[in-house]
Amino acid sequence: RMQFLGRRDWRVPLRILRRIDETVELTARNTGMTVSMAFNYGGRAELVDAVRAIVDAGIPSSKIDEKTIARHLYDPSMPDPEVVIRTSGEIRTSNYLMWESAYSEWVFTDTLWPDFRREHLVECLAEYQARDRRFGGLNS
């Protein structure tokens, strides 16, 4: 199944939006895996759009909590990522999945994205699997 995250505004040509919609519709009933593609996307923009949607829905501030915000993100059905791989030697989030990656593990690699291959993915996943994830708790 394919999902797309990002703004659907004047920056995206209509023919691309039609292809996005066709792809989502064509794959909507697939259940084996979901691929989320960020297109015309920014994490800060996603949060601004979520707040605007909450305001537009007339939700009073006393009723806004983390679940409310999560329900108004671009794809509320998308689970938070366990791991985010950052390529190209950059050691920053780059405005990507700001809300969703709050508790994700980050793996950084010097490999540039165009050169990123299966062996790089395996290396990154091995690094991630070797970590001790405590989820805020202490080891016993």
Side-chain angles (χ1 to χ4, degrees):
R1 174 171 82 117
M2 288 285 298
Q3 296 288 77
F4 289 84
L5 312 170
R7 285 186 169 167
R8 298 174 60 96
D9 61 17
W10 60 270
R11 292 177 198 89
V12 184
L14 287 176
R15 73 183 197 294
I16 300 296
L17 290 175
R18 283 194 296 273
R19 289 284 192 181
I20 287 172
D21 292 341
E22 290 169 5
T23 301
V24 169
E25 177 62 28
L26 182 67
T27 63
R29 287 169 287 290
N30 296 351
T31 59
M33 180 187 315
T34 300
V35 176
S36 297
M37 170 96 43
F39 187 83
N40 195 30
Y41 173 86
R44 288 182 175 183
E46 180 177 28
L47 291 173
V48 167
D49 290 347
V51 171
R52 287 179 177 159
I54 290 166
V55 170
D56 290 348
I59 300 172
S61 62
S62 62
K63 300 289 184 187
I64 298 173
D65 58 14
E66 289 185 18
K67 289 180 182 177
T68 307
I69 294 170
R71 280 194 309 270
H72 289 86
L73 296 175
Y74 291 148
D75 183 1
S77 68
M78 183 179 80
D80 292 343
E82 292 284 327
V83 62
V84 178
I85 299 170
R86 179 64 167 108
T87 60
S88 73
E90 299 289 344
I91 304 176
R92 58 188 170 88
T93 62
S94 296
N95 193 29
Y96 185 70
L97 297 178
M98 306 282 291
W99 181 272
E100 299 88 342
S101 68
Y103 294 104
S104 301
E105 293 286 324
W106 286 77
V107 175
F108 300 94
T109 177
D110 289 333
T111 307
L112 299 174
W113 172 247
D115 301 324
F116 195 83
R117 301 287 183 264
R118 171 180 280 169
E119 60 268 19
H120 301 109
L121 176 62
V122 169
E123 288 170 6
C124 290
L125 293 178
E127 178 182 328
Y128 164 69
Q129 289 173 331
R131 295 182 184 177
D132 178 24
R133 296 199 71 195
R134 296 181 305 274
F135 301 97
L138 299 175
N139 288 341
S140 54

